[in-house]
Amino acid sequence: MYRMVLNVAAAAVTCFSVAHAETMPLSENLIGLTSPEGQTLLLGSEASNDYFPLSIHFTTQDNPAYCGPATIAMVLNALNVPRPASKMTLGLGMFDQENIFTPAATAVKPAASIVNPPYGMTLDELGGVFAAHDLVVDVVHASDSDLDTFRKTAVSQLRDNDKFILVNYLRKSIGQESGGHISPLGAYDEDSDRILILDVSRYKYPPVWVEAATLFDAMNTVDADNDGNTRGYVSVGH
């Protein structure tokens, strides 16, 4: 059984390695998933139940403003939310970055507004779109939380097969370029106190392991497009 788990994990990491070849260089504080150290962290992580369903449904954002829709599609599929109707698939299709915008979701955030100034989605809009798909959602601004609470929440969600956690953070605060970004989390390693971000802009950066404190600080930054509130994290489940 252990050997099978190792083989499955190695295969999943290999899927990410193709995208890693052309990505931007990482700062010294980040560990790429496809590096030997990154793979070791995944295999030894204490909380990684979300990694496999998310990696199976991994979605690369369609354009620079679509990190939110890519993350939403990825998580809806990982949660096995009932698929949208389709003439081609008889209702058994997958969510993508277009059909996530049901009438209820569009009432929260129209797709067209994402690619126009101020671009992208805020933390509250992200949570609102998930709620529009009849999921249980908890939106937490970093200013209303703290590192320990975030870490405990992340570990709890990452150990639960039916719950996922997503983060909205400022890239430059973790040593990347440059603005706000949204992606799901895939695993947590206790020994290094690092969290795996499954970055949906894999044409730009690979999935990376970042220290929990660094990620929390990157979330605890003001989002000018969200009435001056801080960024933060969203827990999603049935």
Side-chain angles (χ1 to χ4, degrees):
M1 176 63 72
Y2 181 63
R3 178 175 296 175
M4 181 178 70
V5 171
L6 289 179
N7 289 339
V8 172
V13 171
T14 300
C15 291
F16 286 115
S17 66
V18 176
H20 176 67
E22 301 299 329
T23 54
M24 299 179 69
L26 296 177
S27 57
E28 293 183 358
N29 66 308
L30 301 176
I31 300 172
L33 173 62
T34 56
S35 69
E37 186 177 2
Q39 294 178 45
T40 298
L41 288 174
L42 177 61
L43 295 175
S45 59
E46 287 76 17
S48 60
N49 283 12
D50 288 356
Y51 174 78
F52 291 105
L54 287 173
S55 62
I56 289 170
H57 296 291
F58 194 89
T59 302
T60 301
Q61 62 189 84
D62 286 342
N63 63 64
Y66 256 44
C67 54
T71 296
I72 293 167
M74 192 169 164
V75 172
L76 291 179
N77 288 324
L79 280 169
N80 291 312
V81 172
R83 276 34 170 192
S86 168
K87 293 180 180 179
M88 294 295 292
T89 61
L90 302 178
L92 300 177
M94 306 296 284
F95 280 101
D96 57 43
Q97 294 169 64
E98 294 181 4
N99 66 20
I100 64 167
F101 291 101
T102 61
T106 298
V108 175
K109 183 70 173 182
S113 68
I114 296 176
V115 293
N116 291 306
Y119 302 109
M121 301 177 72
T122 66
L123 185 73
D124 295 299
E125 291 167 343
L126 180 71
V129 171
F130 276 116
H133 285 276
D134 298 322
L135 293 170
V136 178
V137 181
D138 185 23
V139 176
V140 181
H141 292 273
S143 59
D144 297 324
S145 183
D146 55 57
L147 173 59
D148 188 52
T149 299
F150 164 63
R151 184 190 290 110
K152 289 179 179 177
T153 301
V155 170
S156 174
Q157 308 305 302
L158 291 167
R159 284 176 172 166
D160 193 318
N161 294 325
D162 299 315
K163 294 181 180 179
F164 293 85
I165 183 166
L166 332 154
V167 290
N168 179 6
Y169 60 101
L170 187 63
R171 276 196 184 279
K172 68 179 181 180
S173 292
I174 69 170
Q176 295 182 331
E177 297 181 356
S178 58
H181 191 56
I182 294 170
S183 283
L185 300 182
Y188 171 77
D189 177 70
E190 184 177 1
D191 291 340
S192 64
D193 194 28
R194 286 182 180 268
I195 295 176
L196 177 63
I197 302 175
L198 295 178
D199 196 328
V200 295
S201 62
R202 59 179 173 180
Y203 55 84
K204 186 173 184 179
Y205 288 109
V208 294
W209 289 95
V210 57
E211 291 181 349
T214 300
L215 179 55
F216 183 80
D217 288 344
M219 292 188 294
N220 198 20
T221 53
V222 173
D223 184 353
D225 299 326
N226 195 18
D227 297 326
N229 290 315
T230 60
R231 298 173 173 86
Y233 52 98
V234 178
S235 297
V236 182
H238 290 288

